[in-house]
Amino acid sequence: MDEKRKILSRYFGYTEFRGAQEELIDAVLAGQDVLGIMPTGGGKSLCYQIPALMLPGLTLVISPLISLMQDQVLALKTAGIPAAYLNSTLSLEQQSLVFRNLRQGRYKILYAAPERLLGEGFLAMAREVPISLVAVDEAHCISQWGQDFRPSYLKIPEFLQSLPQRPVVCAYTATATPAVRRDIQKCLGLQNPLVKVTGFDRPNLRFEVRTPESKRGTLLTLLALRKDKSGIVYCSTRKEVDQVCSFLLDRGFAAARYHAGLPDEVRRQNQEDFLYDRKTVMVATNAFGMGIDKSNVSYVIHYNMPQSMESYYQEAGRAGRDGEPAECILLFGKRDIITAKFLIEKSYEESELPDEEREALKQRDMKRLWDMVDYCQTPGCLRQYILGYFGQYNTPKCGNCGNCAPPKKETPPPEPEEPDVLGTKDITKEAQMVLSCIKRINTALGHSSTITMTVLVLRGSKDKRLRENGLDKLSTYGLMNAYSREELREIIDQLVQRGYLNCGSSEILETTAAAGNVLFRGERVIVTMEQSALARRFPQSGTVTADSGLLAALKALRLKLAEKEKVPAFVIFSNATLEDMAKKQPKNMAEFRTVSGVGAVKGQRYGDLFLKELERHRK
Ligand code: ADP
Ligand code: MG
Ligand code: ZN
């Protein structure tokens, strides 16, 4: 097996390269510049991460977004690869630590924002530390014709020239239009690059356009049927984001919002809630997403039509990065056209371009808008339309879009007021969360928690009594904020009835010995659902959670680990990996390593725990 394949397996846990990955990697290793154009989720990162591990010295990755680099560095470290980033979130001490480690050759990969490059400290470091490869991620940011132009990207050539020796330069983007492609080559000064454009199709995405009478009603139905999944709802304006988010919160959805009008801190917190699966729906403007690598987004709903197919495909493409089936649904209304026109006009209001150029750009934007409207109204295959737009013609009808295969009529689950479903439901995961929370509170307080206190902690209440007792620092704080007070009381009630909890006078709660069976020994908690608060959450027992018991258990274990390590769940293993694990049911470490997405380090780190969980299920 050749070296790069070994690395692919050892660090990333995959057996095969995808698309043009191998060719691009080979070219870089042979010292050639490359330009890789692949759709979102196509696997661009590996194209520079693998050479980084094979080349001597450092690989510098230039990346536009802070959230992106933090996630990637976290993922690399978890896989056992020495990596770091430099951006404005680091304190001065932290920065000098990174610089020191760089000089000692401790990292293979450094992520940096383009604004950093020409800083004095950075330049000094770059002249001292041998840099073999510079990777420019989201390279379209250098193009003034693109949507995401960043002036600081224009500093990259100057930076490259200041280096004692020109490293190999590779550039990656998902934006395919020829104008942008030419711009990247020219502005970055790529030398005789290997240019690879790989197919833009994302077969696991199902596209659909609806023109509903009531967008709200439709959204509600769509979300109610996807409560156990994670997704994004895009709106065109901040105001609409605020309204839709409040509306969803009122209806009991675990929604968070994101737009440029929110304070940084709130934005960061909301984004984190979503990344860590504490909130399942993110309502956002297009300010949210570039660089969001969350892999288990299983739907992207556009509440408004975006201004271009470029934006649409990029935003919709944030669904299904783990390769699992995912949905991209656009809710179209005639008013969206008016809003989009208005936003285009507005975007040029403060432009200082000469009139002629401004008019030309505006015309270009209007043309893009009409192509977008056409997409919303075409009776033909939506995938064909998208691929054709990006220059890929003669593709067959897909059979998997809203026009090729119209959706079956979806009926929303019953309204909360009248739950009428009988049946059983596995609430093991909920039970584990509640029980571990009570244990933690009792340890933190040195005496027993009450029902009220437990509910407040689980819901992440801002009550000052929690803060005074440090309970807002517990890892279970806010863990179940997607649940209502009634639901949590109901779960606690069920746990008392089943003897996992003792409930004394004044609602004092203590875990019993039996609780350990649920927490550590795989005992499942099954409840019958009658006219209970929980029935609302699980309207039809058995049909809502598609996860088998085993998969649910693996996910629960992942959640526990993620919480412990304070990382988003997908950094530990992706859904695709857990599903492959549930399918292969490995019995030992060698078999465990054959699961897709399990590398050597993660295998060692998590293998025993997952193998134990698997064994428990075989019994
Ligand atoms: P991009 O930057 O092109 O949007 P990423 O590099 O973030 O895409 O990769 C998307 C997902 O695909 C990640 O979860 C990554 O681990 C996975 N992936 C990449 N290459 C492979 C491969 N050869 N086999 C299986 N999964 C892969
Ligand atoms: Mg990427
Ligand atoms: Zn189709």
Side-chain angles (χ1 to χ4, degrees), residues 105-175:
R106 296 238 178 128
Y107 305 124
K108 286 309 291 176
I109 305 183
L110 174 72
Y111 281 75
E115 296 77 25
R116 296 264 126 187
L117 300 177
L118 298 182
E120 228 163 87
F122 197 88
L123 279 176
M125 179 281 293
R127 277 192 289 262
E128 214 176 299
V129 176
I131 299 178
S132 301
L133 176 65
V134 170
V136 183
D137 206 1
E138 314 287 352
H140 58 280
C141 291
I142 203 168
S143 168
Q144 267 143 301
W145 290 96
Q147 331 258 304
D148 306 307
F149 172 56
R150 307 214 156 204
S152 52
Y153 261 61
L154 294 171
K155 295 179 181 164
I156 298 173
E158 192 182 334
F159 169 75
L160 291 172
Q161 267 153 27
S162 76
L163 296 176
Q165 208 181 357
R166 186 183 182 278
V168 177
V169 181
C170 55
Y172 297 95
T173 176
T175 303

Side-chain angles (χ1 to χ4, degrees), residues 535-591:
R536 294 165 204 166
R537 182 168 289 276
F538 310 111
Q540 259 154 36
S541 58
T543 56
V544 167
T545 36
D547 295 354
S548 70
L550 174 56
L551 187 56
L554 296 175
K555 285 187 177 172
L557 175 57
R558 175 180 66 176
L559 182 69
K560 222 159 66 184
L561 291 167
E563 245 197 77
K564 203 171 100 204
E565 302 188 7
K566 301 204 169 27
V567 298
F570 65 87
V571 165
I572 301 208
F573 286 132
S574 70
N575 282 351
T577 297
L578 293 190
E579 270 154 38
D580 198 41
M581 202 182 293
K583 200 170 84 201
K584 291 192 176 133
Q585 305 220 7
K587 294 187 190 57
N588 53 46
M589 191 55 91
E591 290 178 11

Side-chain angles (χ1 to χ4, degrees), residues 381-383 398-401 404:
C381 172
L382 294 172
R383 193 181 311 272
C398 78
N400 181 29
C401 72
C404 286

Side-chain angles (χ1 to χ4, degrees), residues 585-601:
Q585 305 220 7
K587 294 187 190 57
N588 53 46
M589 191 55 91
E591 290 178 11
F592 192 70
R593 280 293 315 280
T594 68
V595 173
S596 171
V598 178
V601 173

